[in-house]
């Protein structure tokens, strides 16, 4: 028989379980990942998005031709947008300005309207994305606010699908479930099912510093003093969603923004799993807890979404370096940190006036002089100043008349410390040549900036 799906929604779920190998070489037990970016919307949120739509239809809250409204970090919006495409609804999504640009662009690509709100405001602030979503649902006729945080269809979706899949794929041998904590739907719904099957299964929630969930779990108190801005996306909260039932969670572990980002990059490079921020944080949390594991344990980590959502952030060297998440160690690191800006050069036949104009336009003080793609010399703002001060007419002459010695050429792998002996008062820059044969200039300002991070 032909196996043809009737629509994209029928491809949601039944995602693969993949053993982790290189990143777990010092673990005492087997660790596997439930890789949910294989869902059509590239995240685990497809499961609950479809369930929330179906429940809203059954309850009469979502009617034909209606508008779906939701506050989302991006992934839930994508799942809702897919459902809306097939079922004929409109979508308006409200998100925060800390979310990656890729997420907003993807939502727009599938026909949604996206409204961006400030991140660093309290949940009940009228500018918050929670408040704006609620207000829009009250103002727009025939609309339905999904409210993934308090909508129990969220955790029901995972009780009905994610939990059973994990149980079957591990043949009931799972001993630990590790999952980042956000709306609470994934971890609570999955845990509810698994603990029905085996109450001894340990459920570990991974949180981020700046979220109040860990303190609430430990004390039962909502203490806003624990809330502060964080960079991590897709998990952590500044309030406690109703989807949580803390009875099904055995431990909360917090991780830093930096560690989650770095580990996500490790998963891509070492396991070929191009995952999002929450996956890196999930596995970092497990690294911090590995001392609790035994030889016969079988750990399942939930990797929520795809790395394509974060190409401009955690998978961008410049973004990582600007936040102090990657250390600048070599010439290549300095060049990567400024996103491979094109080298500004001149030829010996160009006029001094043209060189001065380039210096003003690009706010630079050193320019290599090249002929037939070969370095033949250099000019500097300081050198030109001295020459033009004594002879103003020199600006009409060719650069060949004011040529200074060429900048030293260093290897891309040269340590930053080595540049200190090459860049000095008489020589303000060096050049490095990459694998494509393109030259890049490194000035004393670049070195000072990298050492100051």
């Amino acid at each position: 028989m032909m196996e043809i799906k009737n629509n994209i929604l029928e491809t949601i779920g039944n995602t693969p379980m993949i053993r982790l190998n290189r990143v777990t070489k010092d673990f005492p037990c087997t660790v596997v990942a439930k890789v949910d970016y294989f869902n059509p919307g590239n995240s685990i949120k497809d499961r609950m998005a479809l369930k929330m739509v179906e429940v809203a239809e059954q309850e009469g809250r979502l009617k034909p031709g209606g508008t779906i409204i939701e506050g989302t970090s991006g992934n839930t919006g994508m799942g809702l947008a897919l459902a809306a495409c097939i079922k004929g609804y409109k979508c308006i999504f409200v998100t925060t300005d800390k979310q990656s640009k890729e997420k907003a662009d993807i939502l727009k690509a599938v026909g949604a309207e996206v409204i961006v709100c400030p991140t660093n405001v309290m949940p009940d602030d009228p500018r918050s994305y929670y408040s704006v979503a609620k207000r829009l649902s009250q103002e727009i006729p025939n609309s339905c606010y999904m409210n993934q945080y308090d909508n129990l269809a969220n955790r029901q979706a995972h009780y009905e699908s994610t939990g059973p899949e994990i149980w079957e794929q591990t043949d009931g041998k799972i001993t630990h479930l590790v999952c980042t904590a956000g709306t609470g739907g994934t971890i609570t719904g999955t845990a509810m099912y698994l603990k029905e099957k085996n109450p001894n299964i340990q459920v570990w929630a991974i949180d981020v510093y700046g979220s109040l969930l860990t303190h609430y779990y430990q004390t039962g108190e909502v203490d806003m003093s624990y809330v502060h801005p964080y960079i991590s996306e897709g998990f952590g909260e500044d309030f406690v969603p109703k989807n949580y039932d803390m009875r099904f969670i055995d431990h909360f572990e917090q991780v830093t923004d930096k560690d989650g980002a770095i580990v996500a990059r490790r998963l891509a490079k070492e396991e070929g799993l191009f995952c999002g921020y929450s996956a890196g944080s999930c596995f970092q949390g497990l690294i911090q807890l590995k001392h609790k594991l035994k030889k016969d344990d079988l750990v399942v980590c939930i990797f929520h979404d795809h790395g394509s959502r974060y190409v401009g952030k955690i998978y961008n060297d410049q973004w990582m370096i600007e936040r102090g998440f990657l250390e600048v160690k070599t010439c290549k690191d300095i060049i990567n940190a400024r996103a491979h800006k094109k080298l500004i050069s001149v030829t010996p036949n160009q006029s001094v006036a043209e060189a001065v104009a380039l210096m003003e336009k690009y706010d630079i003080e050193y320019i290599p002089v090249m002929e037939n793609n070969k370095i033949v010399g250099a000019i500097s703002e300081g050198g030109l100043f001295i020459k033009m001060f004594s002879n103003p007419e020199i600006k009409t002459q060719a650069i060949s008349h004011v040529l200074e010695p060429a900048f030293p050429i260093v290897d891309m792998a040269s340590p930053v410390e080595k540049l200190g002996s090459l860049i000095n008062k008489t020589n303000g820059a060096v050049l490095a040549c990459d694998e494509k044969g393109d030259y890049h200039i490194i000035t004393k300002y670049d070195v000072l900036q990298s050492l100051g991070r």
Side-chain angles (χ1 to χ4, degrees), residues 162-304:
T162 313
E165 286 177 28
I166 291 174
W167 182 258
E168 292 170 11
Q169 288 172 312
T170 62
D171 195 26
K173 293 181 172 61
I174 175 176
T175 60
H176 296 74
L177 173 71
V178 186
C179 179
T180 50
T183 67
T186 301
I187 191 165
T188 305
T190 306
M192 288 169 66
Y193 180 87
L194 293 175
K195 282 183 174 285
E196 279 185 7
K197 291 293 187 179
N198 178 3
N200 295 322
I201 293 173
Q202 290 289 293
V203 177
W204 292 346
I206 308 304
D207 196 14
V208 61
Y209 287 101
S211 163
L212 61 68
L213 293 174
T214 297
H215 181 73
Y216 177 80
Y217 173 80
Q218 294 170 344
T219 66
E221 299 175 355
V222 175
D223 188 342
M224 298 306 292
S225 68
Y226 284 85
V227 177
H228 61 76
Y230 51 88
I231 299 172
S232 299
E233 294 183 40
F235 67 109
E237 295 294 350
D238 49 9
F239 69 104
V240 182
K242 291 181 180 177
N243 271 291
Y244 278 100
D245 187 332
M246 298 299 185
R247 295 175 300 170
F248 295 96
I249 300 175
D250 298 290
H251 178 75
F252 260 77
E253 184 76 11
Q254 288 183 294
V255 301
T256 66
D257 292 325
K258 178 179 179 178
D259 287 342
I262 290 173
V263 172
R265 291 165 64 108
R266 279 190 63 199
L267 290 170
K269 290 181 179 179
E270 298 180 37
E271 300 289 348
L273 293 171
F274 190 44
C275 301
Y277 213 145
S278 60
S281 300
C282 178
F283 190 68
Q284 171 61 28
L286 181 60
I287 291 173
Q288 294 172 196
L289 294 168
K290 69 181 178 182
H291 62 280
K292 295 188 174 186
L293 299 173
K294 302 184 296 296
K295 179 182 177 182
D296 295 327
D297 288 338
L298 175 55
V299 182
V300 176
C301 295
I302 293 184
F303 289 176
H304 287 74

Side-chain angles (χ1 to χ4, degrees), residues 335-357:
I335 293 163
N336 286 341
R338 62 186 189 207
H340 292 282
K341 292 182 180 178
K342 184 179 179 181
L343 178 69
I344 305 300
S345 64
V346 292
T347 66
N349 296 326
Q350 287 182 263
S351 69
V352 172
E354 287 178 282
V356 172

Side-chain angles (χ1 to χ4, degrees), residues 98-225:
K98 86 167 183 178
Q99 307 305 329
S100 65
K101 182 178 181 295
E102 290 85 356
K103 287 183 177 179
D105 289 343
I106 291 170
L107 292 177
K108 293 175 185 177
V110 290
E113 179 183 345
V114 180
I115 298 172
V116 180
C117 297
T119 300
N120 299 329
V121 295
M122 300 302 289
D124 56 357
D125 188 298
R127 297 169 297 165
S128 77
Y129 81 119
Y130 312 109
S131 298
V132 172
K134 291 178 183 178
R135 176 176 58 79
L136 289 174
S137 67
Q138 294 166 358
E139 296 175 352
I140 297 174
N142 193 20
S143 65
C144 180
Y145 174 41
M146 288 299 171
N147 188 11
Q148 61 179 310
Y149 304 95
D150 298 334
N151 189 333
L152 298 187
N154 179 348
R155 75 185 191 192
Q156 186 66 22
H158 298 289
Y159 177 85
E160 294 176 357
S161 67
T162 313
E165 286 177 28
I166 291 174
W167 182 258
E168 292 170 11
Q169 288 172 312
T170 62
D171 195 26
K173 293 181 172 61
I174 175 176
T175 60
H176 296 74
L177 173 71
V178 186
C179 179
T180 50
T183 67
T186 301
I187 191 165
T188 305
T190 306
M192 288 169 66
Y193 180 87
L194 293 175
K195 282 183 174 285
E196 279 185 7
K197 291 293 187 179
N198 178 3
N200 295 322
I201 293 173
Q202 290 289 293
V203 177
W204 292 346
I206 308 304
D207 196 14
V208 61
Y209 287 101
S211 163
L212 61 68
L213 293 174
T214 297
H215 181 73
Y216 177 80
Y217 173 80
Q218 294 170 344
T219 66
E221 299 175 355
V222 175
D223 188 342
M224 298 306 292
S225 68

Side-chain angles (χ1 to χ4, degrees), residues 21 66 94 114 118 140 148 153 192 194 213 219 256 313 325-326 374 386 388 390 427:
N21 299 291
V94 187
V114 180
I140 297 174
Q148 61 179 310
M192 288 169 66
L194 293 175
L213 293 174
T219 66
T256 66
K313 289 195 171 184
F325 291 176
L326 289 182
K374 292 184 178 180
I386 294 172
M388 290 179 71
S390 59
N427 181 67

